[in-house]
Each structure stands twice: as C-alpha cells, then as structure tokens.
Amino acid sequence: MNLNEYKKQAAWAALNYISPGTVIGVGTGSTVFHFIEALSTIKHLISGVVSSSDSSTILLKSKGINNILNLNTFNSLEIYIDSADEINSSMQMIKGGGAALTKEKIIAAIAKKFICIIDETKKVNILGSFPLPIEVIPAASSFISNEVIKIGGKPRIRKNVITDNGNIILDVHNLCIHDPVLIEKKINLLPGVVTVGLFALRGADVILMGTNNGVKIIEK
Ligand code: 5RP
C-alpha cells in the first residue's frame, strides 16, 4: 500500500470520533484532504466546521460542507482533526508544512480533543528531521534567522509562500529537538514570531496511524 492509502485509512478512521451535532475543527494538508472527503459523507450530521486555512475552506465548500463557522465565535471545540509533519511518542508534533500553522495552533488550543491523522512515516523518535516552520512577520526575518542560528538551526525562507495572515515562513533545518517544550517556549519569545510549528505544549490526544496492518490507534 502506498503512503496516500495510509493517509486515507487514518483520515476515514477519524469519523469514528465524531459525535452528531458537534462542530469540527478541520486542519490542512493532503491527509486532511481525505478527511474532508470522509466528512462530506456525514455532513448532515454535524453542526458545522471551523477551518484552519483558506485552502481547507475552499475544499470544504467544494465537498458541499458550507456551514463554515468563524473561529472567533468559539472558545472551545469538542474535536479537532488534523495531521502533522512529525509526531513523537509524547504526542508532540512539528506542523506547518502547509503553512497553516497559526490557525492550526489556535484551533488546537481550544479543542478538547486533538486527533492526529498520519501515515506511519510521520512517527519519529526525535523531532527535527522535518524542517521546523516558523511564521514570522516579514520585517523580522533577518533577526529571527540570526536567533535560530544561535540554537543550532539553519533557517531558510520558504520560497513563493505568503501565509493566510500575510506573513512568511522560515523553515529551520538541522535542529535535533530533544526538549520540544523548551524550544517552543524559546522561539515563542522572539519578537516578530507569529507562530512556531512546534506543538509540544499542546500536543495531540489521539494518533490514528495508517499502516500496512490497518489503522493503529495510540492514545495519551
Ligand atoms: C499544515 C500541516 C499539515 O498537517 C502537515 O503539513 C501534514 O501535511 P500532509 O497531510 O500533507 O502530510 O501542518 O500546515
């Protein structure tokens, strides 16, 4: 089976966690693409969705899921379903490969349950092989690049990408993230950082991992 099939398996398994009448937080990316397809089959059962990106909003609408609600009207959501670029055994993640990390982090913060849907290649022992995305305001890119070099990273501005919020993405290569909480806090403190794609302070609650032997469920 190929990776796309693993993603699909995990995405469809997420339907088991959805209770009728709830509002669903929806992430971004190729795994979530499958989830949106799955969700469209039960769209009459849910109250609406909160989308993490313009691209997911377009996709949701294209699948007939039109009740897309404003994130600002919620302080709490029952469930958030999204993928990750990497996830470790403590359920801490690197996210932001799709440049949607800021809204993703806000939705994760208000969600009671974060279900992370992945293919098995995303599970790692130590975070950092995938370059860590940081959304920064454009005027801060030089300063923040210098600061991440001090902690051992090699920053690169992601080419031809402007986020939904009008900012840029710095991808930080070469980091071996042994203490994800510490690195998340350090980067969060830098002026000009909008969001760091380390989800360590608020990790996932459940992992649904597509594998050769079906979907593996890992709970906190
Ligand atoms: C988007 C994300 C995605 O969850 C992450 O990049 C994984 O994407 P994919 O499902 O395409 O592998 O964080 O900002």
Side-chain angles (χ1 to χ4, degrees), residues 123-141:
K123 189 85 175 19
V124 299
N125 291 326
I126 295 170
L127 299 172
S129 295
F130 189 92
L132 176 65
I134 310 177
E135 179 170 351
V136 305
I137 66 162
S141 67

Side-chain angles (χ1 to χ4, degrees), residues 7 27-33 82-86 94-101 104 117 119 122 130 158 199:
K7 289 180 184 203
T28 298
S30 58
T31 316
V32 167
F33 168 84
D82 196 359
S83 188
D85 299 299
E86 284 184 349
I94 286 182
K95 291 185 46 53
L101 60 168
E104 291 176 345
I117 49 177
D119 67 75
K122 304 286 185 72
F130 189 92
R158 199 180 294 180
F199 286 53

Side-chain angles (χ1 to χ4, degrees), residues 7 9 15 33 48 53 55 72 80 154 159 175 188:
K7 289 180 184 203
Q9 279 185 359
L15 289 188
F33 168 84
S53 64
S55 59
N72 267 322
Y80 175 39
K154 285 194 177 154
K159 290 206 172 81
L175 282 179
N188 271 341

Side-chain angles (χ1 to χ4, degrees), residues 8 13 29 31 36 49 56 58 76 109 137 141 152 162 170 193 215 217-219:
K8 194 172 175 179
T31 316
I36 291 173
V49 298
S56 285
I58 290 168
S76 164
I137 66 162
S141 67
I162 299 291
L170 276 183
V193 166
V215 177
I217 302 172
I218 304 167
E219 297 198 354

